[in-house]
Amino acid sequence: DAGITQSPRYKITETGRQVTLMCHQTWSHSYMFWYRQDLGHGLRLIYYSAAADITDKGEVPDGYVVSRSKTENFPLTLESATRSQTSVYFCASSESYRPIYNEQFFGPGTRLTVL
Amino acid sequence: SQELEQSPQSLIVQEGKNLTINCTSSKTLYGLYWYKQKYGEGLIFLMMLQKGGEEKSHEKITAKLDEKKQQSSLHITASQPSHAGIYLCGADKTGNTPLVFGKGTRLSVIA
């Protein structure tokens, strides 16, 4: 399917477990992003990537790890999940930072619950 | 930290009424993006504004960016139930950084 997909859509895990959220886009966009959305905080950037093997921290990176070995994939790993990481996670991609190309396309989100 | 302030946080309007959502920054913006999110879904791009004083419309939604490029408004004319959702503004501060988003405005449209 064309577009940007996330898996799983729903995940329940326990404190201390490792969890990986997957993101895949078919447009060959250079830029990919991970956000978390929480009541009272809105959408906050966790990590982003400008190209394969290039990643950078966003506003709330602690407790998360990312990798980007292929342009189309950008997995997000919670190394040791905590209850505070219960959230809805959105992956996004864009062609460029230049404004006309900076429209970000969002995936459907992954709802993660950490017990 | 959030650098974009959206107001109001939530809004309930009667179907057919007009409404306005605001997005304000303390700094001049390079670009301003409006997105809509339906419950349980991802964000859908609505419009992008880059030039001071710019105004764009799509169907019954009009977005404006002020001359100083620090404030944007989203106006919906004759609201419909399909307009319900969360509206978020995102800003490009430098032209070379990821978007920063406001906390969103939750819109409910009642019959």
Side-chain angles (χ1 to χ4, degrees):
Chain A
D1 289 337
I4 183 165
T5 56
Q6 293 183 236
S7 61
R9 292 292 314 277
Y10 303 90
K11 177 73 176 180
I12 299 174
T13 191
E14 294 177 339
T15 302
R17 290 192 180 261
Q18 183 179 79
V19 177
T20 295
L21 309 183
M22 304 301 294
C23 179
H24 175 79
Q25 53 105 352
T26 61
W27 295 301
S28 298
H29 282 168
S30 296
Y31 294 86
M32 295 188 75
F33 311 86
W34 274 107
Y35 294 88
R36 59 177 290 175
Q37 187 176 36
D38 306 284
L39 274 176
H41 292 283
L43 209 59
R44 292 181 291 175
L45 183 66
I46 305 170
Y47 268 97
Y48 62 103
S49 168
D53 297 323
I54 300 175
T55 62
D56 212 341
K57 296 179 181 179
E59 182 185 355
V60 289
D62 293 343
Y64 302 96
V65 174
V66 293
S67 62
R68 195 161 177 214
S69 57
K70 293 184 178 181
T71 300
E72 60 267 29
N73 296 324
F74 192 38
L76 175 74
T77 298
L78 288 67
E79 293 188 301
S80 179
T82 65
R83 290 194 181 88
S84 65
Q85 292 177 310
T86 292
S87 185
V88 181
Y89 291 85
F90 288 100
C91 179
S93 71
S94 69
E95 185 175 340
S96 166
Y97 278 152
R98 288 183 292 154
I100 195 170
Y101 300 114
N102 203 0
E103 174 189 344
Q104 290 183 196
F105 296 85
F106 284 80
T110 294
R111 186 174 293 273
L112 176 68
T113 301
V114 183
L115 302 176
Chain B
S1 63
Q2 294 291 341
E3 300 179 25
L4 288 177
E5 293 291 331
Q6 280 189 244
S7 62
Q9 290 185 350
S10 63
L11 193 55
I12 301 173
V13 299
Q14 198 167 18
E15 185 176 355
K17 297 293 186 182
N18 302 335
L19 64 106
T20 299
I21 298 168
N22 294 301
C23 177
T24 303
S25 171
S26 58
K27 301 176 182 177
T28 299
L29 302 172
Y30 198 78
L32 192 289
Y33 300 73
W34 282 102
Y35 286 82
K36 178 186 175 184
Q37 181 183 25
K38 289 195 172 182
Y39 180 75
E41 299 180 15
L43 282 67
I44 304 296
F45 173 77
L46 294 175
M47 279 174 274
M48 187 270 284
L49 305 165
Q50 190 188 358
K51 299 176 183 177
E54 187 174 10
E55 179 177 321
K56 287 186 178 179
S57 293
H58 177 67
E59 297 180 343
K60 295 185 178 180
I61 300 176
T62 300
K64 301 178 184 179
L65 184 62
D66 73 340
E67 290 290 343
K68 290 185 178 180
K69 296 173 66 175
Q70 289 184 266
Q71 185 167 353
S72 178
S73 62
L74 187 81
H75 184 78
I76 298 177
T77 303
S79 58
Q80 301 169 351
S82 60
H83 289 128
I86 300 173
Y87 289 81
L88 295 98
C89 62
D92 179 352
K93 294 181 291 180
T94 68
N96 195 34
T97 51
L99 298 185
V100 173
F101 287 88
K103 293 183 180 180
T105 295
R106 185 178 293 270
L107 171 65
S108 300
V109 180
I110 56 176

